[in-house]
Amino acid sequence: MSKGSEEIFKKVISHAKEYGFVFQSSEIYDGLSSVYDYGQNGVLLKNNIKNYWWRSMVQLNDNVVGIDSAIFMHPDVWRASGHIDAFNDPLIDNKDSKKRYRADVLVEEYAEKLLQKADKEVRKAALRFGDSFDAELYRETNSRVVDYLKRADSALSRFSLALNSDDLKAARQVIIDEKITCPVSGSSNWTEIRQFNLMFGTKIGSVAEGATDLFLRPETAQGIFVNFLNVFKSGRMKIPFGIAQIGKAFRNEIVARQFIFRMREFEQMEMQFFIMPGSEIKWFEHWKASRLNWHKSLGFDHENYRYHNHENLAHYANAAVDIEYKFPFGFKELEGIHSRTDFDLKQHSKYSGKKLQVFNPDKNENFTPSVIETSIGLDRMFLSILSECLEEETLEDETSRVVLRLPHALAPNQAAILPLMKKDGLPEYSKKIYDELKINFQLMFDSKDAIGKRYRRQDAIGTPLCITIDHETLNDDTVTIRDRDSMGQKRVKVADLYSIIKDLTSIERLLKKL
Ligand code: ATP
């Protein structure tokens, strides 16, 4: 991470804590590594993100329904899904720094650096050659650029080939051959690579002898697969259709740094779309485009999103793409779209002995549907939004303010009600407005400190509107309404407040853009 990006990331983390968005779990006991709690503003923002996802997925798609399955599942689920055998990360230690890494991440970051070097060469050449510059041709012919691209490609493909064939020695050799060093010690004194299973184990039952070993689910998807027939029958569904779910997942991550980007307990928003075999590519492309559009509808810089095709396909997938977001520490996976074939349903049929098939009347036969999955980490989405929206703005009078430019519909509070002074009946009048509007909106009431200070507090937590009640209000039932982004103020009637807030902050506005 460059110094500048590190600074930005540190600011995001400290802002999240200072303003009640995210706290370290069990902080008074010195914290629990890579586990976080959401504070009073964080939980509101998180719920709004969930709402945006849920409503766009379940409410706007006629053929998608939602469920909420249990975290505990029968242990055979994880045998059938392949998690017991294959939900591993390749782990490697640097003997000098004693730091532990995911070997695949080391290689990916190495390749990413080479790609960035190639891009830099192309940008430099573009400046040198001006309008006549052909970037594509330059990529194909400039020896330095070609070399960077080749090295990146070779490292990634050698590594993924080695991992796919379970050859950990060959995988380690890629790290040695490419002279990949530890970012802390700078040395390439590496241990062997070992596979490490990421599932947390626990037990159900009161006596040790009778207890059954269980796992905390590492993804929400399996709860959907095992309920496939239940939903299909009880909802009278027709292929194609989808089942969506939001819920907690648990992974004993090896390297759990980077704040809420990689946690040991996190939340996923997943949707499994069941389709006719043979239509995988059509639906894969559909959901790939649809999900990117969902992100872009938030109105953030489109340059901060990109697709990344998987080199190393999971055991169940025949096509996979990530939507990556440019976090302060670089482009990283935010969401995955996977074509999972009929793997999951067939595996669960095999292990449970229950037929998970549907009838095709055209062909007069039963078949196992294929699945396209969209899977997004809620916490990563939260982090991408905080990183995108946090801004230190220099104002015209050379002072500065910290403002969280959240999409209006996602802001923890839609408006703040601020009596200008704590006397002359202003607080009482303000409270009346507050009580009337709080039925429809999440509001803040703040009467402490000078008004300027209160505006800044609301800017910092992203409140789109500040409503100030002053002496004029008592005479003519008007208030000042201040816009977070422009800081512009205007006088409006109290009677119009409901429609003004609704117009600006309702989630329908976001949904209409989809
Ligand atoms: P990574 O390669 O970063 O470990 P993954 O490919 O294992 O991620 P998936 O299994 O595809 O991730 O999970 C789907 C989504 O769940 C990811 O796109 C990510 O947003 C989120 N996610 C996965 N692991 C974590 C984690 N440890 N903490 C927070 N979010 C996570």
Side-chain angles (χ1 to χ4, degrees):
M1 215 190 312
S2 74
K3 261 219 133 22
S5 329
E6 207 167 309
E7 274 308 298
I8 294 174
F9 191 35
K10 274 191 188 152
K11 278 190 183 147
V12 170
I13 297 172
S14 64
H15 191 88
K17 180 175 177 192
E18 189 179 344
Y19 288 95
F21 284 91
V22 182
F23 306 126
Q24 175 77 57
S25 157
S26 323
E27 194 185 306
I28 58 169
Y29 291 97
D30 293 336
L32 184 63
S33 166
S34 301
V35 185
Y36 291 90
D37 299 336
Y38 285 82
Q40 68 280 13
N41 287 315
V43 69
L44 294 170
L45 172 55
K46 197 175 172 191
N47 284 342
N48 290 342
I49 301 171
K50 282 191 208 178
N51 191 22
Y52 175 46
W53 184 87
W54 185 268
R55 288 182 62 177
S56 58
M57 208 40 115
V58 177
Q59 193 171 322
L60 296 193
N61 288 301
D62 304 341
N63 52 2
V64 176
V65 293
I67 63 164
D68 183 17
S69 71
I71 289 173
F72 288 145
M73 299 182 78
H74 193 286
D76 284 350
V77 166
W78 308 111
R79 281 185 195 98
S81 68
H83 281 82
I84 288 181
D85 289 335
F87 195 56
N88 301 321
D89 274 347
L91 170 159
I92 193 165
D93 293 275
N94 184 268
K95 292 184 193 165
D96 298 319
S97 67
K98 308 269 184 285
K99 289 270 175 214
R100 182 160 287 175
Y101 298 92
R102 260 174 67 177
D104 55 331
V105 172
L106 280 180
V107 175
E108 275 165 23
E109 284 178 352
Y110 167 76
E112 179 62 28
K113 267 191 202 137
L114 290 172
L115 295 181
Q116 279 172 9
K117 281 185 181 166
D119 283 346
K120 198 167 161 195
E121 290 292 329
V122 176
R123 279 200 306 276
K124 267 179 12 200
L127 283 178
R128 250 198 338 269
F129 294 115
D131 285 348
S132 60
F133 182 63
D134 182 339
E136 272 320 297
L137 190 66
Y138 196 77
R139 279 180 179 277
E140 283 161 21
T141 51
N142 178 275
S143 60
R144 205 177 294 172
V145 174
V146 169
D147 181 52
Y148 285 142
L149 297 177
K150 244 195 192 152
R151 274 165 58 198
D153 188 52
S154 141
L156 286 173
S157 51
R158 273 182 68 202
F159 190 82
S160 95
L161 195 71
L163 264 200
N164 282 343
S165 47
D166 254 341
D167 188 346
L168 298 181
K169 284 215 168 343
R172 177 177 184 270
Q173 200 54 42
V174 178
I175 293 178
I176 302 296
D177 291 349
E178 298 295 334
K179 300 189 176 56
I180 298 178
T181 55
C182 164
V184 176
S185 68
S187 90
S188 47
N189 192 7
W190 296 108
T191 60
E192 295 302 313
I193 294 180
R194 282 163 293 156
Q195 290 287 20
F196 176 77
N197 193 289
L198 298 183
M199 282 199 294
F200 283 103
T202 185
K203 285 185 189 303
I204 197 166
S206 55
V207 281
E209 309 84 65
T212 307
D213 286 319
L214 291 189
F215 296 100
L216 295 186
R217 68 180 179 198
E219 60 177 28
T220 58
Q222 299 305 323
I224 295 179
F225 295 127
V226 300
N227 277 301
F228 163 73
L229 264 196
N230 284 338
V231 174
F232 181 77
K233 287 184 183 160
S234 62
R236 299 168 60 238
M237 308 306 290
K238 283 201 180 70
I239 301 287
F241 77 96
I243 305 179
Q245 140 152 275
I246 299 176
K248 289 264 178 158
F250 304 83
R251 296 183 187 178
N252 198 359
E253 297 280 1
I254 303 170
V255 184
R257 293 179 209 125
Q258 296 171 322
F259 193 40
I260 55 172
F261 178 80
R262 191 174 297 290
M263 302 153 90
R264 295 200 164 108
E265 173 180 342
F266 57 101
E267 230 168 322
Q268 290 185 314
M269 305 190 285
E270 297 199 301
M271 195 277 301
Q272 311 295 329
F273 199 68
F274 300 92
I275 56 176
M276 293 294 287
S279 63
E280 286 89 351
I281 296 306
K282 177 181 127 192
W283 285 111
F284 178 72
E285 292 301 330
H286 167 86
W287 284 109
K288 182 176 157 183
S290 158
R291 293 305 303 148
L292 186 61
N293 186 38
W294 183 85
H295 289 281
K296 288 187 171 171
S297 297
L298 288 176
F300 300 155
D301 187 350
H302 288 194
E303 297 285 305
N304 288 345
Y305 298 93
R306 72 177 188 196
Y307 287 126
H308 171 78
N309 287 314
H310 278 220
E311 296 284 334
N312 192 4
L313 287 179
H315 58 276
Y316 51 76
N318 70 354
V321 69
D322 292 340
I323 294 175
E324 293 188 335
Y325 172 77
K326 195 174 179 191
F327 288 95
F329 38 86
F331 271 105
K332 295 272 180 224
E333 172 176 347
L334 176 59
E335 171 158 10
I337 295 112
H338 310 122
S339 171
R340 295 180 75 122
T341 67
D342 56 9
F343 175 83
D344 304 272
L345 291 182
K346 280 208 166 135
Q347 284 294 101
H348 287 303
S349 284
K350 188 168 140 198
Y351 278 74
S352 67
K354 308 281 182 324
K355 242 190 184 171
L356 301 180
Q357 289 195 319
V358 298
F359 185 66
N360 179 352
D362 293 342
K363 290 195 173 164
N364 203 22
E365 63 185 22
N366 287 322
F367 70 97
T368 309
S370 288
V371 172
I372 306 295
E373 164 184 82
T374 73
S375 173
I376 175 172
L378 175 54
D379 313 270
R380 281 193 194 176
M381 186 65 199
F382 188 103
L383 180 59
S384 74
I385 291 175
L386 270 196
S387 320
E388 180 87 27
C389 298
L390 185 62
E391 188 185 321
E392 233 176 77
E393 188 187 17
T394 307
L395 305 172
E396 273 173 14
D397 63 1
E398 299 294 308
T399 59
S400 70
R401 67 164 180 158
V402 174
V403 54
L404 198 58
R405 294 189 192 277
L406 295 170
H408 296 142
L410 300 187
N413 298 283
Q414 278 106 55
I417 309 289
L418 315 171
L420 187 63
M421 289 175 181
K422 272 197 199 166
K423 55 179 186 184
D424 302 335
L426 299 185
E428 291 74 15
Y429 193 108
S430 306
K431 189 75 185 12
K432 233 177 73 195
I433 297 180
Y434 174 81
D435 283 340
E436 249 167 53
L437 292 173
K438 77 179 180 191
I439 293 173
N440 297 96
F441 305 108
Q442 179 68 44
L443 301 176
M444 276 214 125
F445 187 92
D446 189 3
S447 56
K448 201 162 165 252
D449 298 324
I451 193 74
K453 227 176 176 180
R454 282 184 267 165
Y455 284 156
R456 291 290 180 274
R457 275 205 289 268
Q458 296 303 326
D459 288 344
I461 58 170
T463 310
L465 294 170
C466 283
I467 294 159
T468 306
I469 290 86
D470 55 23
H471 290 94
E472 235 179 293
T473 313
L474 303 179
N475 296 329
D476 63 3
D477 291 321
T478 64
V479 290
T480 303
I481 194 157
R482 171 188 180 271
D483 177 76
R484 175 195 72 198
D485 296 333
S486 67
M487 295 191 295
Q489 301 190 10
K490 62 179 181 199
R491 206 78 201 165
V492 302
K493 288 200 194 104
V494 171
D496 292 340
L497 282 176
Y498 170 83
S499 57
I500 292 172
I501 304 174
K502 184 153 174 51
D503 234 31
L504 190 78
T505 66
S506 79
I507 191 124
E508 288 79 30
R509 269 189 136 192
L510 276 183
L511 296 175
K512 272 188 192 150
K513 286 199 219 159
L514 292 172

